[in-house]
Amino acid sequence: MDQFSTAVYPSFIMLFIVVATLTATSFYTSSEALPQLQPLAAGIHAAGACIPRERDALLDFKRGITSDPAGRLSSWKEGDDHQDCCQWSGVRCSNRTGHVLKIMLRNLNGDDFDFPGLVGQISPSLHNLKHLEHLDLSYNNLTGPTAHIPEFLGSLKNLKYLNLSGIFFVHVLPPQLGNLTKLEYLDIGRNGLCETCWSRVDVSWLAHLPSLRYLDLSSVDLSTVADWAHVMNMIPSLRFLDLSLCNLANANQSLPHLNLTNLEWLDLSCNYFAHTVSSCWFWNVTQLKHLNMNSAGLYGQFPTTLMSSLQFLDFSENDRLIMPNMRRLCNLQVLRLASSIWKADITYLFWSLPHCSPNKLQELVLDVNLISGILLPNMMGHLTSLTILSLSCNNITGPLPSFIGNFTTLKNLDLSENHLTGHVPYEIGMLSRLTDLDLYNNDLDGVITEEHFARLSSLQHIDLSSNSLRIKISSEWKPPFGLNSASFESCQMGPLFPSWMRWLASAEYIDVSSAGIVDRLPDWFSDVFSHVVTIDMSNNTLFGGLPKGMELMTLEELYLGSNQLSGRIPTLPPNLTVFDVSMNTLSGPLPSNFSCQKMYTLSLFTNQFTGHIPRSICKCETLIELDLANNSFYGELPLCSWDYLEILDLSKNSLYGEFPSSLQNCTKLIFLDFAWNNFSGTLPTWIGNLGGLHFLGLGHNKYSGKIPESIKNLQCLQYLDIADNDLSGSLPRHLSNLTLMVMVSNWSEDDLPEKIRHHCSFGIPAARYNGVDLFEFIKGQQLDYGSLYKFIWEDATGIDLSLNNLSGELPEDLGTLAALRNLNLSRNLFIGNIPSMIGSMKSLESLDLSGNYPEGSCGDPNQEFQDYDEF
């Protein structure tokens, strides 16, 4: 093998040893992914040392690149001044012979799609680089026209390192790669591949790579390779094996003779094996240090004896595993068993952890396991080396023990969503290395003072929300830390606005909602919080006007709902995406130049706004939610094009005009409420094109004409209110097409036809729509459906067509709407028999057919549907 010059050779050897040690040994103890080999410093080359034929091959490769946004190949030029290709960026040559040994063009921003790296194809000219040992093209877009892994790579017989990860290749793995008998490192993983992209995969050629130590095939579909474990067992040199996300069907193959005696790192996560954990073949790999079986579909009892060499063990997201005995795993540093252990007792659980001296366990993650019991000093005294302790979402009870102050190496403490009681011990303030403290949603009480934070100089994130704590800190106190996020929701911090919060200027997220503050927003609000990204101060008793100088803030999300703020809306921060000042007493017209170019949520409901809705609101092209309900807006709605709009609530105003024609382009609408206004005209036929609507409220307006037949196309509809208008004609036929009104209660998304699942928005995040309050009136009573998210998932279906001039007979298929809870057709002109199928609508909670003229009543308004008035 060609060597570097004598001057740099010792340094190179030392650097190679360090890199080899990191990739072969040290990374097995890390909780992060394997560090990639970084490009070495450029060697020293004599002028003109580059081999002309190899320089031409590199230039041909460059010609196959159609885009190079980072200018990685800017030094690859023709001409006399650029003859030495060994000086080009990403190219390394032998100082002795001038042959190209390495091409290192990894896209260092590969995880960021805004930086696509090189675009084009891998030119076959590279086969002329006969001495090439190292080829790294990872995370570039070099799929070319065929998106195949080039077969010619199998002719580069001197390759030791080949990294094509993160390139979206499809179809088969070329068996020609089996010709690379010197290959030590092969990474073609993380390609984002799918089951339909690859035909039947053959990996038998891997057995022809006797020197292979590192193999990453993550994301390659190996579902058709039943003998995958036997193939891997034929590569005894393997030390690192990543087969995560490979659609593997099982890991319980019988391997009579195990050859993988050097294997130290094994990742089989995100497959679905669906068999007992003890039957897996890898338990006989005695040198294993890193084992990742996250989301592997395993269950049951672990083997009696686990490998004592284990340093990293992750069995999170499996199914009802039984806690293994790890008392003698003295090398274990990382243990992750989140969402896997079922109803474990905390005493037994901590008894099962390593009991060694010294104890090396640094990371313990046991979230979401229904762990019950009380944290006691005698069960954790041997774990003082922990840096991460995460026990969130369990059933742990009792007080937070004061001995937590003994864990001086802790960096992350997460005990959120348990049932801890009592006071927070002052000793927690001794954890000087703590960066993350999360006690959210417990039953803690008492007072938090400066002493709790005395030595927390490293603290970056704190969440004490959803407890009964009182934060009592002097206005003169200056915290020893600079927080990135602070959440004190439901903690009592008032009545005065906490002055010590002015020291949170470095935070990006601040939540002091429901904190009992009865005060004005401080004068320093805009200056101190000028770089904060999210502020939530909702559900307090803040009064006075919105702060001045907000236009200079970089704020993106501002929640001030449910306060007593008054006055007008000032100029807002230019980057604002969420602006919620609902349920205040703000007044006056909206600014004519209302700035909301980046907003996706604008919530102004229940204030005292007046005037027209300004035309400038049409500039809010990114809006997803617009809620102006319960104000005194009047006039016509501007004809805006909101392509992303999902929620539009204009109810309880004084708006007028016809149904806005611009809404026919808002095909993503889920919630539309115009009720209690003065809208008029006929309902458009194109309303049936708004196929994603779950809620349509048009009641208490002046609409006339017929209900469009197209209304039956709203297959996602769960609530229809057109009450108290001047509608006439008969009810539309084929109401059985309203699929979500037909589905019986307790349906799941899987029960729906594929088309309905695709068009109806069941994947909406709860956080987005939890703030959209739903109140409707049935039989004069206000019903609270809670949030829109709750409304959609709790099957709160209903129809209210009362107080119109609808006539004719009730359609028979009205009775097919089996999911309806409320049906009000009162005060119309219906005639004829009551459909017999109404008696089979078992979900009905309220039915009103009163005030109509049934057959045989001779027009006597006293002869109404007495038997079906309501129940």
Side-chain angles (χ1 to χ4, degrees):
M1 170 181 170
D2 296 317
Q3 304 293 331
F4 290 98
S5 63
T6 304
V8 299
Y9 180 78
S11 298
F12 169 76
I13 290 297
M14 288 302 297
L15 183 56
F16 179 82
I17 291 173
V18 170
V19 172
T21 302
L22 285 173
T23 57
T25 304
S26 298
F27 61 74
Y28 301 115
T29 68
S30 172
S31 61
E32 304 295 330
L34 175 72
Q36 298 297 319
L37 293 176
Q38 299 298 315
L40 300 177
I44 300 175
H45 304 283
C50 179
I51 308 299
R53 183 178 62 180
E54 297 186 2
R55 180 177 63 247
D56 293 341
L58 295 175
L59 290 172
D60 280 343
F61 173 84
K62 182 180 179 179
R63 295 185 189 103
I65 304 302
T66 58
S67 176
D68 180 10
R72 298 292 302 277
L73 305 183
S74 58
S75 61
W76 294 30
K77 298 179 180 179
E78 300 187 63
D80 294 339
D81 295 337
H82 305 280
Q83 286 293 309
D84 190 3
C85 67
C86 296
Q87 300 296 328
W88 292 353
S89 175
V91 179
R92 300 292 180 268
C93 301
S94 165
N95 286 339
R96 185 171 59 84
T97 66
H99 287 300
V100 174
L101 299 181
K102 296 185 178 183
I103 297 177
M104 297 172 291
L105 295 174
R106 176 188 178 89
N107 177 16
L108 299 179
N109 296 305
D111 294 333
D112 191 338
F113 289 103
D114 292 332
F115 297 91
L118 302 174
V119 179
Q121 63 179 340
I122 302 175
S123 171
S125 63
L126 292 185
H127 82 273
N128 289 321
L129 304 178
K130 302 298 185 182
H131 298 267
L132 192 66
E133 298 178 357
H134 185 114
L135 178 60
D136 188 350
L137 302 175
S138 55
Y139 291 99
N140 290 288
N141 186 3
L142 298 177
T143 56
T146 64
H148 293 186
I149 296 177
E151 297 179 356
F152 78 84
L153 293 176
S155 65
L156 300 175
K157 298 295 183 65
N158 285 304
L159 268 187
K160 296 182 179 180
Y161 182 107
L162 177 59
N163 193 343
L164 302 177
S165 60
I167 306 176
F168 294 137
F169 291 118
V170 298
H171 302 299
V172 299
L173 295 170
Q176 288 83 357
L177 296 181
N179 297 327
L180 304 177
T181 55
K182 295 183 180 180
L183 203 62
E184 299 177 5
Y185 185 109
L186 176 60
D187 188 348
I188 49 181
R190 297 174 297 283
N191 279 288
L193 305 172
C194 60
E195 296 180 17
T196 58
C197 294
W198 290 71
S199 59
R200 186 175 182 85
V201 176
D202 175 24
V203 293
S204 60
W205 51 269
L206 287 167
H208 302 305
L209 305 179
S211 301
L212 195 63
R213 296 187 301 157
Y214 183 108
L215 176 60
D216 188 338
L217 297 179
S218 58
S219 300
V220 176
D221 184 9
L222 300 179
S223 58
T224 60
V225 185
D227 62 341
W228 64 270
H230 294 85
V231 174
M232 303 305 153
N233 193 40
M234 297 173 68
I235 316 173
S237 55
L238 270 183
R239 298 181 65 183
F240 179 104
L241 177 60
D242 189 343
L243 298 178
S244 59
L245 282 164
C246 287
N247 288 324
L248 299 174
N250 56 70
N252 57 357
Q253 296 89 343
S254 175
L255 301 178
H257 180 71
L258 186 69
N259 294 319
L260 295 172
T261 55
N262 295 305
L263 191 64
E264 297 181 355
W265 181 298
L266 178 61
D267 190 340
L268 298 177
S269 62
C270 300
N271 290 288
Y272 190 72
F273 299 125
H275 56 70
T276 59
V277 62
S278 60
S279 63
C280 296
W281 59 265
F282 50 74
W283 294 118
N284 294 321
V285 183
T286 57
Q287 299 302 312
L288 209 56
K289 297 179 179 179
H290 181 111
L291 179 58
N292 190 350
M293 300 298 294
N294 187 305
S295 302
L298 296 169
Y299 59 87
Q301 180 77 54
F302 281 82
T304 304
T305 304
L306 304 182
M307 299 85 89
S308 60
S309 56
L310 279 173
Q311 298 175 4
F312 178 103
L313 185 63
D314 189 347
F315 272 82
S316 299
E317 305 293 336
N318 282 280
D319 187 20
R320 300 196 180 195
L321 297 174
I322 298 174
M323 185 69 183
N325 185 343
M326 295 172 285
R327 292 173 63 87
R328 297 184 179 181
L329 298 188
C330 294
N331 293 305
L332 194 62
Q333 299 178 19
V334 176
L335 176 61
R336 299 175 183 170
L337 294 173
S339 299
S340 290
I341 306 300
W342 184 253
K343 293 185 177 180
D345 177 76
I346 195 169
T347 303
Y348 174 75
L349 187 149
F350 277 94
W351 177 89
S352 303
L353 297 176
H355 282 62
C356 306
S357 182
N359 198 305
K360 298 181 180 180
L361 191 63
Q362 299 177 16
E363 180 176 338
L364 178 59
V365 179
L366 296 168
D367 305 326
V368 198
N369 282 313
L370 295 181
I371 299 170
S372 59
I374 300 175
L375 282 171
L376 298 173
N378 59 355
M379 68 173 63
M380 296 182 64
H382 58 292
L383 299 175
T384 52
S385 60
L386 286 176
T387 60
I388 296 177
L389 175 59
S390 188
L391 298 171
S392 66
C393 300
N394 285 293
N395 289 325
I396 301 173
T397 57
L400 181 60
S402 59
F403 73 84
I404 197 70
N406 297 334
F407 291 79
T408 54
T409 58
L410 266 184
K411 295 182 178 179
N412 188 316
L413 176 61
D414 187 352
L415 300 175
S416 62
E417 300 196 67
N418 280 284
H419 300 286
L420 295 172
T421 57
H423 300 350
V424 177
Y426 291 116
E427 287 80 2
I428 205 166
M430 301 174 63
L431 305 179
S432 59
R433 299 184 185 181
L434 199 66
T435 61
D436 296 76
L437 173 61
D438 192 346
L439 301 177
Y440 162 74
N441 198 14
N442 277 282
D443 300 313
L444 298 167
D445 55 26
V447 179
I448 298 292
T449 68
E450 296 97 325
E451 189 174 354
H452 287 91
F453 303 125
R455 300 181 185 177
L456 301 185
S457 56
S458 302
L459 197 63
Q460 299 177 14
H461 307 278
I462 184 171
D463 191 345
L464 302 180
S465 56
S466 297
N467 285 285
S468 298
L469 296 167
R470 178 172 178 77
I471 313 296
K472 189 176 181 180
I473 294 177
S474 168
S475 60
E476 304 300 322
W477 178 69
K478 182 178 179 180
F481 44 71
L483 292 177
N484 290 334
S485 67
S487 184
F488 301 106
E489 179 262 331
S490 295
C491 297
Q492 294 306 299
M493 305 177 68
L496 297 180
F497 196 96
S499 297
W500 61 268
M501 286 183 59
R502 66 184 182 273
W503 300 111
L504 300 183
S506 62
E508 294 185 359
Y509 178 90
I510 297 174
D511 185 353
V512 290
S513 60
S514 304
I517 301 174
V518 185
D519 201 353
R520 296 176 180 271
L521 289 170
D523 295 336
W524 45 260
F525 182 94
S526 297
D527 291 332
V528 170
F529 297 146
S530 60
H531 297 293
V532 178
V533 176
T534 300
I535 295 177
D536 189 347
M537 296 182 177
S538 58
N539 294 295
N540 285 288
T541 313
L542 296 170
F543 54 86
L546 290 170
K548 298 179 181 179
M550 292 177 66
E551 68 276 10
L552 301 178
M553 301 177 71
T554 60
L555 197 62
E556 295 181 9
E557 298 184 14
L558 178 59
Y559 302 89
L560 292 172
S562 299
N563 281 286
Q564 295 180 11
L565 296 168
S566 58
R568 298 191 175 190
I569 293 180
T571 303
L572 298 174
N575 295 322
L576 211 57
T577 61
V578 176
F579 183 50
D580 184 353
V581 288
S582 58
M583 302 184 73
N584 281 281
T585 56
L586 295 165
S587 59
L590 296 182
S592 59
N593 59 344
F594 191 74
S595 177
C596 54
Q597 284 84 352
K598 296 183 180 181
M599 282 190 195
Y600 59 79
T601 294
L602 175 59
S603 185
L604 308 179
F605 71 87
T606 312
N607 277 281
Q608 298 173 10
F609 292 114
T610 58
H612 292 270
I613 298 174
R615 174 68 185 174
S616 59
I617 204 168
C618 291
K619 296 180 181 179
C620 311
E621 297 179 352
T622 58
L623 271 180
I624 295 176
E625 176 185 345
L626 175 60
D627 194 340
L628 306 180
N630 200 18
N631 282 285
S632 297
F633 291 113
Y634 62 86
E636 297 190 31
L637 178 67
L639 298 179
C640 303
S641 177
W642 291 311
D643 294 338
Y644 304 101
L645 199 63
E646 297 179 4
I647 294 177
L648 178 58
D649 193 345
L650 304 177
S651 62
K652 299 180 183 178
N653 281 285
S654 298
L655 300 169
Y656 55 80
E658 297 189 351
F659 201 95
S661 59
S662 58
L663 293 184
Q664 62 184 310
N665 298 320
C666 298
T667 55
K668 296 184 179 180
L669 273 173
I670 296 172
F671 181 95
L672 178 61
D673 196 350
F674 286 172
W676 299 92
N677 279 284
N678 295 309
F679 288 109
S680 59
T682 59
L683 299 180
T685 57
W686 51 260
I687 199 170
N689 297 333
L690 304 179
L693 276 178
H694 285 262
F695 185 102
L696 178 59
L698 305 175
H700 308 280
N701 280 286
K702 298 178 180 178
Y703 289 115
S704 59
K706 296 183 177 181
I707 299 176
E709 287 286 334
S710 62
I711 205 88
K712 67 179 183 296
N713 297 332
L714 303 180
Q715 295 179 299
C716 304
L717 200 62
Q718 291 177 259
Y719 200 93
L720 174 64
D721 173 18
I722 322 181
D724 194 11
N725 280 281
D726 194 22
L727 298 172
S728 58
S730 58
L731 283 182
R733 304 292 174 177
H734 307 298
L735 293 177
S736 58
N737 288 345
L738 301 175
T739 305
L740 294 192
M741 292 190 179
V742 173
M743 299 291 293
V744 295
S745 300
N746 300 320
W747 51 264
S748 68
E749 187 177 348
D750 293 336
D751 296 327
L752 299 173
E754 181 178 353
K755 182 179 179 181
I756 302 299
R757 289 200 304 269
H758 177 73
H759 289 290
C760 298
S761 298
F762 293 102
I764 59 175
R768 178 184 296 175
Y769 299 139
N770 268 340
V772 182
D773 293 320
L774 290 178
F775 297 96
E776 285 305 312
F777 290 86
I778 301 295
K779 289 287 295 177
Q781 295 182 343
Q782 180 172 288
L783 303 180
D784 182 7
Y785 286 112
S787 68
L788 176 57
Y789 182 85
K790 181 179 179 182
F791 169 86
I792 288 176
W793 279 111
E794 293 198 358
D795 192 21
T797 53
I799 294 178
D800 190 350
L801 303 179
S802 62
L803 293 165
N804 281 286
N805 295 312
L806 299 170
S807 58
E809 297 185 355
L810 298 180
E812 185 66 32
D813 66 348
L814 183 65
T816 64
L817 305 181
L820 277 186
R821 293 189 180 183
N822 303 291
L823 176 61
N824 191 347
L825 302 178
S826 65
R827 304 302 188 264
N828 280 286
L829 303 173
F830 292 117
I831 61 174
N833 295 319
I834 299 170
S836 59
M837 290 187 63
I838 284 184
S840 63
M841 299 170 69
K842 303 299 185 183
S843 299
L844 273 181
E845 298 172 359
S846 174
L847 171 64
D848 192 346
L849 303 177
S850 63
N852 287 281
Y853 300 88
E855 184 176 300
S857 67
C858 299
D860 183 354
N862 295 318
Q863 298 292 324
E864 299 176 345
F865 291 126
Q866 299 292 344
D867 294 336
Y868 288 88
D869 186 18
E870 64 175 317
F871 50 76

